Amino acid sequence: MGVVNLTPDSFSDGGTISSPQEGLAHARRLIEEGADLLDLGGESTRPGAEAVSAEIEIERVMPVLEGLVADGTPLSIDTSKPEVARVALAAGAEAVNDVTSGSHREMFPVVADAGAGLILMHMHGNPRTMQTEPRYADVVAEIKTFLAERAAAAQRQGVTPDRIALDPGIGFGKTLEHNLTLIRDLREFRILGFPVVLGASRKKFLGLITGVDDPAQRDLASAVIAALGVERGADILRVHNVAACREALAVAIAIVRESGG
Ligand code: HH2
């Protein structure tokens, strides 16, 4: 899953795309590099980010989304707003990536009505507060319980289980230690019976480990995490540099297959 941030303030690449034409060109490049689907977002979720209105999100995302639907590219819309999801799904997006796991009560019915896919992610608090001393008694168990509960809630509202994927939410209210534990124990999340999404690309914990400050320079570390994630059972990798990840994944997948994984 290639990341297309149509925002001025994303942590990883904020402001690098300043027109729909540039957004479309970037998105098409990710497909050429081997992305199977693209995740389009019009609102940053980076720590401290301010929320934007549904109108602004729609304005940022739709011109690029429409161009990509015309290309036949599979898309998810990265939003927690049902209004944005509804418009994107009606225009041809196939899934909603909701980092708040349906915090808005209309989100699950919107996804169910469209027969769309749904990514449920764990976040501790909200982007403004999530990095203030996040604490867990058992980070893996707590996040598993949360995701299982949200998947059950989505199904109660009509989302079919074959359309749901789960994401532990690397960096969303987690310390370095929490992130490392979640990636090490990623297999635990597969026990819940849904595909597992891993979004570690360019995140701050990689900077803490490597000393690389600029998120855009963290692609080597991101490719390593993608390979380790696949080896630990990740089904979908949300990444910024698709070409680098593809290369790392080719090696990881060859080894996993060789060992019967
Ligand atoms: N991470 C980000 C955004 N959306 N969705 C899922 N399911 N999993 C993630 O780990 C995830 C996500 C943050 O990355 P990015 O989109 O590059 O930054 P920003 O939110 O600042 O636009």
Side-chain angles (χ1 to χ4, degrees):
M1 170 189 268
V3 179
V4 180
N5 284 325
L6 301 163
T7 52
D9 57 346
S10 288
F11 86 95
S12 54
D13 52 7
T16 50
I17 293 171
S18 56
S19 69
Q21 290 73 21
E22 280 177 31
L24 207 49
H26 175 69
R28 287 179 173 145
R29 195 161 48 244
L30 297 187
I31 290 292
E32 271 164 33
E33 290 175 2
D36 294 318
L37 79 156
L38 299 179
D39 189 36
L40 265 56
E43 177 179 37
S44 174
T45 53
R46 86 188 143 75
E50 287 299 327
V52 300
S53 70
E55 291 70 30
I56 290 179
E57 254 187 86
I58 290 170
E59 227 170 80
R60 287 175 177 173
V61 162
M62 287 311 288
V64 177
L65 188 144
E66 282 163 357
L68 292 170
V69 168
D71 292 350
T73 303
L75 299 176
S76 65
I77 175 79
D78 186 350
T79 190
S80 53
K81 296 189 185 72
E83 307 93 292
V84 179
R86 192 180 289 114
V87 172
L89 294 173
E94 294 177 17
V96 175
N97 173 24
D98 182 359
V99 297
T100 70
S101 274
S103 62
H104 196 296
R105 63 185 169 76
E106 279 172 40
M107 185 59 105
F108 294 157
V110 165
V111 173
D113 284 350
L118 176 65
I119 297 175
L120 297 169
M121 196 199 80
H122 175 272
M123 172 168 16
H124 188 286
N126 64 53
R128 256 172 295 117
T129 61
M130 65 190 179
Q131 289 304 112
T132 357
E133 290 190 56
R135 288 209 186 115
Y136 304 83
D138 179 335
V139 68
V140 174
E142 279 175 45
I143 293 178
K144 259 174 84 178
T145 302
F146 171 85
L147 292 174
E149 190 279 316
R150 296 318 291 154
Q155 288 174 80
R156 279 197 299 278
Q157 305 218 43
V159 182
T160 56
D162 59 315
R163 307 294 279 150
I164 296 173
L166 304 180
D167 183 337
I170 299 299
F172 284 86
K174 282 103 186 172
T175 62
L176 170 62
E177 220 49 54
H178 295 141
N179 290 321
L180 295 177
T181 303
L182 290 169
I183 294 168
R184 193 192 62 213
D185 291 352
L186 204 60
R187 231 168 248 295
E188 280 291 311
F189 294 95
R190 298 200 82 190
I191 294 168
L192 298 173
F194 300 96
V196 172
V197 180
L198 179 65
S201 180
R202 294 187 178 173
K203 286 194 175 160
K204 187 175 168 195
F205 81 104
L206 296 174
L208 293 176
I209 297 169
T210 59
V212 176
D213 270 347
D214 178 1
Q217 300 297 319
R218 294 179 189 148
D219 287 344
L220 183 53
S222 301
V224 171
I225 286 288
L228 290 170
V230 158
E231 202 264 331
R232 283 162 166 74
D235 298 284
I236 301 172
L237 295 144
R238 187 180 180 281
V239 305
H240 299 85
N241 186 329
V242 172
C245 263
R246 267 283 167 214
E247 211 173 308
L249 288 191
V251 178
I253 290 169
I255 288 172
V256 170
R257 291 220 174 110
E258 178 63 28
S259 58

